[in-house]
Amino acid sequence: MATGIAQAELIAVLAAVTDEEPRVMTVAAGQALPSGPFVSSHRSLQAGLRDWIEQQTGHPVGFLEQLYTFADRDRDPELAEARRISISYLGLVREQPAPGADRPEWHGWYEYFPWEDRRAGVPPVVERIVAELAAWAGSKSGRRQRIDYAFGLNGQGWNEDLALQRYELLYEAGLVPEAGRRDLPGLGLPMRGDHRRILATGIARLRAKIKYRPVAFELMPESFTLLRLQRTVEALAGLRLHKSNFRRQIDQQELIEETGEMAAETRGRPAMLYRYRATVLEARALAGTRLPISRN
């Protein structure tokens, strides 16, 4: 491989929410995200990525938006001489079986980032992470401030949008397998190269995005209950939401409308079915749709 050559790679973070769990499409039995080189036969970047997704996973793809371009020189130790530029996209889908050829599998977000799911409280692994990070930080006040900010310690509130910063802090501290640490179990499944970093970027983007744009409908069936909508947003945020506040904001923003039909929810109680209003479906870039994320 020639020195100084930059390879262009297309990579996808395909997210879904199934049974109240946020999921990501992977290949190589959970070790990587769908990806492939951008070649001259591809009509466009997005068209090229769709081709790779179809070939590797066989899963249909609808909504796609560009996520980030990764070009750091040291992002993959396997490419010591060459340089790879990865152009990533975020896709929102409804989970279906994937019959593709590259061992596609759906995996939960929190299999890779167990410290990110706070729906049942602070995960036990956080105590071990904080202890390891404190040992790494030592007496360096700058590092300690970054740890407090990232993990919501010492008066700093937990910010679910900092998923990428938390992973990069663990990487910098050498605590994850991708950084060479192999003897610290419980810090999530590793991935090839920097694919877990790219996944963290997608999670952070989507968590921020659900607060100001109605993208959650991409993950919902045509009709749904308010509880299912709330549980979907909670799954993405990794937090529990205040039920009354959530429903009040949904009502105020006029995002949904009743279908006139009912569905059974927990304990057999009937619940109204809703759908997104046609005007919302036509204006996917609608602004001002903040969702009440609880910081408890």
Side-chain angles (χ1 to χ4, degrees), residues 23-282:
R23 311 257 281 166
V24 63
M25 169 59 72
T26 69
V27 295
Q31 299 179 46
L33 299 170
S35 63
F38 180 59
V39 297
S40 58
S41 61
H42 289 148
R43 178 175 51 84
S44 66
L45 293 171
Q46 192 173 123
L49 181 61
R50 289 180 183 275
D51 287 346
W52 284 118
I53 293 171
E54 172 61 28
Q55 177 180 323
Q56 294 176 356
T57 74
H59 198 284
V61 180
F63 172 89
L64 274 179
E65 72 169 25
Q66 194 162 335
L67 179 60
Y68 195 77
T69 298
F70 298 85
D72 296 358
R73 187 180 298 279
D74 58 349
R75 31 189 307 259
D76 190 343
E78 296 181 3
L79 296 175
E81 297 183 350
R83 190 162 187 169
R84 185 177 63 207
I85 298 174
S86 292
I87 305 165
S88 62
Y89 283 79
L90 174 65
L92 305 180
V93 299
R94 298 167 194 168
E95 181 176 336
Q96 300 179 27
D102 200 8
R103 291 183 295 161
E105 294 179 358
W106 284 99
H107 282 266
W109 283 5
Y110 305 128
E111 295 176 47
Y112 298 98
F113 307 99
W115 56 87
E116 291 291 337
D117 186 5
R118 295 200 164 203
R119 288 174 293 176
V122 179
V125 71
V126 171
E127 183 177 356
R128 179 149 36 99
I129 288 173
V130 170
E132 292 283 348
L133 287 174
W136 167 73
S139 60
K140 296 180 179 179
S141 61
R143 287 184 175 181
R144 289 187 172 274
Q145 289 174 0
R146 289 171 58 201
I147 296 168
D148 290 346
Y149 177 67
F151 284 90
L153 307 174
N154 296 318
Q156 300 284 342
W158 174 263
N159 186 341
E160 67 281 355
D161 296 352
L162 301 180
L164 175 60
Q165 288 90 330
R166 282 186 283 272
Y167 175 74
E168 290 191 327
L169 191 59
L170 292 174
Y171 186 96
E172 183 180 343
L175 301 182
V176 292
E178 291 90 337
R181 185 72 179 261
R182 301 291 178 182
D183 62 344
L184 194 63
L187 293 193
L189 299 178
M191 301 185 87
R192 291 178 183 169
D194 61 351
H195 283 210
R196 192 151 57 137
R197 179 190 180 198
I198 295 172
L199 175 55
T201 304
I203 292 172
R205 168 73 65 85
L206 190 50
R207 283 180 168 182
K209 201 174 185 67
I210 59 175
K211 297 174 187 176
Y212 64 89
R213 290 190 179 179
V215 296
F217 74 86
E218 299 282 359
L219 305 168
M220 304 296 296
E222 291 187 7
S223 60
F224 48 85
T225 64
L226 285 177
L227 179 61
R228 180 165 181 178
L229 178 60
Q230 180 174 337
R231 292 289 184 256
T232 296
V233 175
E234 289 175 337
L236 298 173
L239 294 170
R240 288 299 180 199
L241 309 182
H242 190 281
K243 182 176 179 180
S244 297
N245 288 350
F246 179 85
R247 299 194 175 192
R248 186 181 307 114
Q249 285 230 8
I250 293 296
D251 289 341
Q252 291 173 350
Q253 294 164 18
E254 299 183 340
L255 298 176
I256 60 178
E257 61 188 7
E258 296 179 357
T259 66
E261 300 178 353
M262 305 289 287
E265 281 195 343
T266 55
R267 300 178 184 175
R269 293 176 297 178
M272 178 64 67
L273 283 170
Y274 293 81
R275 60 181 168 233
Y276 278 91
R277 297 176 61 207
T279 53
V280 174
L281 296 176
E282 293 168 0

